[in-house]
Amino acid sequence: MKMSILISTIAFSMVFAVAGKMKQEQLNISVDGDNIINTLPDQFFGHNYWMWCPTWGNSIAGTESVVADLNPRMLRLGGISVDVDYPDKVSEDVLADFYNYCQEVGAEPLLQLQLANSTSTEDRVNKALDMVSYFKTLGEFTYVSIGNEPDLYPDNLATNPDYGVEYLSSYTLDNYCTDFNAVASRLREEYPDLKIVGLELSHKYGEWIPDFISRCREYVDAVSLHYYPNSADQCKYRNVHNDISSMKNFYTNARSYIDQNAGGKEIPLIIGETNISWDGDPEHSTHDASPGTFNAGLWFADFVGISSAQEMLLSIMPWSIREGWTLGFLDGSQKPRPVYYMYQLFSTYSKKHMIHNESVNSYVRSYGYKDDENNVSLFAINWDTVSSYTADFTFTNILSGSSFSYTIPPQSVSCLIFSDNNADNPRIIKYTKDMEGEPPTSIRDIFPGTDAQSDKMLTASFNRKRNLLTISASRSYDNVTAEMINIRGQLIHAVDVGTIKKGRSSFSISGKNSALGIYVIRLLSDRKVIFSGKVK
C-alpha cells in the first residue's frame, strides 16, 4: 500500500523559485525493521540543572512543568558553580531543591561531587562522603560524578579570583587520578550500589581519557565528556549544517580512547554537557546558527539522531534548562527556544530501538525508531533553506512492508508516527523555520481539515468545564477508545469507552478540568479513527 500527503501550503507544495527555475527533489529511503542499530537506555534523554544560585536569581525555580514536558530521564547538578561553591554554597537546601525538582520532572539525579573547593585529597574525600550521606537522606539515587572539567582547573578556575582556588594552578591529570581513586574507593566501601562517573572532561579527550581509564578503571562506572564543538564565530549555517561527520568522529575517537585502555571492562559514555557552542553570550550570539536560533536547534536534532546510534551511550545532557545566555532551552521569560521543541519531539516520540540512521543527501537526514510492538517513528530533518524533498519511505520487515510518501518542508524537522496495525495513517508533526516562535504543529491524523477523516455517521461535542464528551451516532461502534491530545500532539488523557450504541450518549474523558488551550478529541473503534475534532 502507498499513501501520499498533499498539503495545500506553499511550504508543502514543493514549488520554489531558484534562479528562475522550479526546484524539486525526489528521495528514496528504505527502512528495515530488523536492522536494530542500537537500543536506547532509559536515561538517554537527560538535561542540566543550573542557575539555582540565589545570588543569580534562581531562574530554575518554577520551570518544573515546562521541563517535565521535555521528558528528561536524568538530570545533572553540576558545573563550575557546584565545584567551587560560587556564587553560593551548595547547601543542604540546594541539594533538597535539586532532589525535589528531579522528582517533579521524573528524572534520575546525577549528583556532581566537589573537588575544586578543597586543597587536599583528604578534604575532597570527606566532602564527597558528607554530600552523598545527606543526599541519601532525601531518597534513593544511583549516580554521582567526581569534579567538573578538571582539564581546565589551571587555566579557567585558578586564574579567576572570584573562585578563590588559586591552588589549582598546577593541577594535573595525575592529581585528578589520585583524587578520583581516593574518593571513588571510599564511596564504593560506604555505598556499593552507587554508580561512579569520572572525568566530566571539557575537551582534552586524547590527552586525558587513555591515562585516566588505565589508572582508574577499577572504580569508574561511566565516563562523562562535554561536547561544545564550535566557537561563537563558527556558529554559522555554512559551518554547521553538515556537522554530522564531526559528531561521528567525536564518538568514534572517544569510544576508542575508552575501550583500548579499559582492560576488557565495558565502560559506558555520558555526554555530561553539550550545545552547539560553549559561548552563549548574547553579544556573541549574532550569527544564523548561534545558540538559541532555529539552526542551532536543527544542529541539536542531528546530534540526538547521531547519538541514538551510539552503543554504550548512557545519556546526553544539554546545557542548560534556563539562563540569561542563549544556551538555555528556555529564555529569561521561560519561553521555549527552538531547540526545546526539537529535543521534545525526540524525547516524546522516539522509541526504544533505533532502526534507521541515514544521511540521505547533504541537507536531509532520516532517523528511525521502533518499539517492541513494532510501532515506528521517523524523523526527517531538512537543512535546505529553499527546497522541499518528496521522500518515498519503503518499509521491510515491519509495517507490513508498506510504503509512504511525504514532502519534507525546507529548514524543518518532521516526525512521522506509525502504528503497526495502521501503517497507512501516521500521525505527522512538523516544525519549520517560519514556526520558530511557536510549538510544532500536527498536520495529519490530529487536526481535522487536513487528512484525518471522521465517520459521517457520528458527531461529537465536548464540554471543557465538565470534561464531558457527548456523542450522537447513527449506528453502534465496538471497542471504542477516546483520546484527548494537546496542540503539541501529546496524549493528555485516554479512556476505554467500550461500546457506543446508536443514539446519544455522554461520558467523561478525564478526571479533572483541562487547562485552557486547543485540544483534539479522537475516537477510535478497533484502533481506527472514527472521529477527530478540535476543541478549546
Side-chain angles (χ1 to χ4, degrees):
M1 55 186 155
K2 184 170 183 175
M3 297 290 293
S4 295
I5 295 178
L6 299 175
I7 306 297
S8 58
T9 65
I10 292 176
F12 282 77
S13 64
M14 292 191 62
V15 180
F16 295 95
V18 181
K21 297 182 180 180
M22 308 302 284
K23 190 172 180 181
Q24 183 170 344
E25 301 275 355
Q26 186 80 24
L27 304 174
N28 296 305
I29 301 173
S30 298
V31 180
D32 184 353
D34 286 346
N35 180 37
I36 296 181
I37 299 169
N38 188 37
T39 297
L40 275 61
D42 292 340
Q43 304 93 337
F44 183 80
F45 290 99
H47 225 297
N48 269 282
Y49 177 94
W50 192 50
M51 291 300 289
W52 49 267
C53 307
T55 298
W56 290 339
N58 189 11
S59 60
I60 194 71
T63 61
E64 290 88 343
S65 177
V66 69
V67 171
D69 286 344
L70 277 175
N71 307 296
R73 291 295 173 259
M74 179 174 278
L75 196 61
R76 171 178 174 258
L77 173 64
I80 293 175
S81 295
V82 173
D83 211 13
V84 299
D85 278 331
Y86 177 86
D88 298 298
K89 181 179 175 58
V90 183
S91 64
E92 290 183 354
D93 286 344
V94 170
L95 293 175
D97 287 345
F98 169 59
Y99 184 85
N100 292 333
Y101 191 100
C102 289
Q103 296 296 302
E104 288 289 325
V105 304
E108 184 167 5
L110 170 56
L111 178 64
Q112 177 190 299
L113 307 178
Q114 301 167 314
L115 288 185
N117 67 348
S118 297
T119 58
S120 70
T121 297
E122 182 180 1
D123 286 345
R124 290 162 184 152
V125 170
N126 291 332
K127 283 190 175 181
L129 290 172
D130 289 344
M131 185 176 284
V132 171
S133 175
Y134 174 73
F135 208 68
K136 280 283 188 181
T137 68
L138 302 173
E140 291 301 314
F141 76 106
T142 302
Y143 290 91
V144 296
S145 65
I146 298 176
N148 177 73
E149 298 184 342
D151 52 330
L152 297 184
Y153 280 180
D155 299 328
N156 279 23
L157 271 62
T159 58
N160 189 327
D162 290 338
Y163 299 153
V165 292
E166 294 81 2
Y167 49 83
L168 295 176
S169 60
S170 59
Y171 198 88
T172 64
L173 169 60
D174 183 67
N175 296 132
Y176 182 76
C177 289
T178 298
D179 287 337
F180 179 89
N181 282 331
V183 173
S185 61
R186 284 299 312 280
L187 289 174
R188 187 62 45 83
E189 291 175 9
E190 297 289 334
Y191 308 100
D193 293 334
L194 275 185
K195 299 293 186 183
I196 302 172
V197 180
L199 282 184
E200 295 283 9
L201 202 63
S202 168
H203 68 282
K204 297 180 181 179
Y205 312 129
E207 299 172 48
W208 277 59
I209 298 174
D211 281 352
F212 170 77
I213 294 296
S214 63
R215 297 172 61 180
C216 303
R217 64 194 184 205
E218 179 181 357
Y219 298 113
V220 69
D221 295 305
V223 167
S224 177
L225 306 180
H226 299 176
Y227 184 64
Y228 297 101
N230 299 289
S231 67
D233 284 339
Q234 290 173 321
C235 291
K236 299 172 183 176
Y237 175 92
R238 66 174 182 267
N239 295 330
V240 305
H241 85 275
N242 206 11
D243 212 14
I244 57 174
S245 294
S246 297
M247 297 174 186
K248 292 177 181 178
N249 289 337
F250 160 74
Y251 277 120
T252 298
N253 291 335
R255 195 71 260 164
S256 176
Y257 294 143
I258 295 170
D259 292 344
Q260 290 180 9
N261 297 279
K265 181 179 180 179
E266 292 188 347
I267 301 175
L269 178 64
I270 294 173
I271 306 303
E273 294 181 16
T274 186
N275 212 310
I276 192 171
S277 174
W278 67 89
D279 190 347
D281 188 330
E283 294 185 1
H284 302 160
S285 299
T286 57
H287 302 300
D288 57 5
S290 291
T293 63
F294 191 88
N295 286 330
L298 285 181
W299 179 92
F300 213 101
D302 265 336
F303 185 71
V304 174
I306 296 301
S307 298
S308 297
Q310 309 304 314
E311 296 181 355
M312 295 184 66
L313 176 61
L314 183 64
S315 185
I316 55 174
M317 313 186 86
W319 187 275
S320 65
I321 290 172
R322 184 188 180 202
E323 57 181 86
W325 280 22
T326 58
L327 298 176
F329 274 38
L330 307 175
D331 67 15
S333 63
Q334 289 198 37
K335 181 179 179 180
R337 293 189 168 109
V339 66
Y340 172 97
Y341 293 120
M342 297 188 204
Y343 196 64
Q344 184 187 45
L345 280 176
F346 277 88
S347 67
T348 302
Y349 297 111
S350 66
K351 301 186 183 299
K352 181 178 179 181
H353 308 289
M354 168 162 266
I355 57 173
H356 186 75
N357 192 305
E358 181 180 2
S359 179
V360 185
N361 61 24
S362 59
Y363 294 106
V364 176
R365 261 75 85 180
S366 176
Y367 306 108
Y369 305 81
K370 75 169 186 176
D371 60 22
D372 289 334
E373 287 72 45
N374 284 332
N375 301 303
V376 172
S377 59
L378 290 177
F379 295 83
I381 297 173
N382 183 8
W383 278 88
D384 198 317
T385 61
V386 176
S387 295
S388 291
Y389 295 84
T390 296
D392 287 334
F393 293 95
T394 302
F395 300 96
T396 57
N397 301 311
I398 203 165
L399 299 181
S400 304
S402 62
S403 59
F404 194 86
S405 182
Y406 173 68
T407 301
I408 310 169
Q411 217 164 355
S412 69
V413 177
S414 298
C415 178
L416 291 74
I417 306 160
F418 299 83
S419 61
D420 183 49
N421 60 1
N422 198 13
D424 60 349
N425 187 34
R427 177 186 303 177
I428 298 178
I429 305 170
K430 70 168 183 176
Y431 190 42
T432 62
K433 177 68 167 63
D434 58 4
M435 299 163 59
E436 189 167 357
E438 301 298 330
T441 299
S442 299
I443 61 172
R444 179 178 168 83
D445 196 24
I446 295 293
F447 294 104
T450 55
D451 290 282
Q453 299 295 321
S454 298
D455 193 321
K456 294 181 180 179
M457 302 178 72
L458 183 149
T459 60
S461 60
F462 180 67
N463 184 317
R464 190 193 66 80
K465 290 184 178 180
R466 299 173 61 195
N467 288 307
L468 194 66
L469 185 65
T470 301
I471 299 169
S472 296
S474 57
R475 67 176 182 87
S476 295
Y477 296 86
D478 294 323
N479 302 317
V480 175
T481 300
E483 298 179 343
M484 175 181 280
I485 300 160
N486 67 14
I487 195 171
R488 296 174 183 168
Q490 295 173 308
L491 181 65
I492 303 301
H493 303 294
V495 60
D496 291 328
V497 179
T499 298
I500 294 177
K501 295 182 179 181
K502 180 179 177 180
R504 184 182 176 91
S505 57
S506 299
F507 60 88
S508 176
I509 197 169
S510 69
K512 58 181 180 178
N513 289 344
S514 303
L516 293 176
I518 298 174
Y519 296 90
V520 167
I521 301 296
R522 290 200 316 171
L523 297 176
L524 299 90
S525 175
D526 291 320
R527 299 188 179 182
K528 299 215 182 234
V529 177
I530 57 174
F531 175 83
S532 179
K534 189 189 303 183
V535 297
K536 293 184 178 181

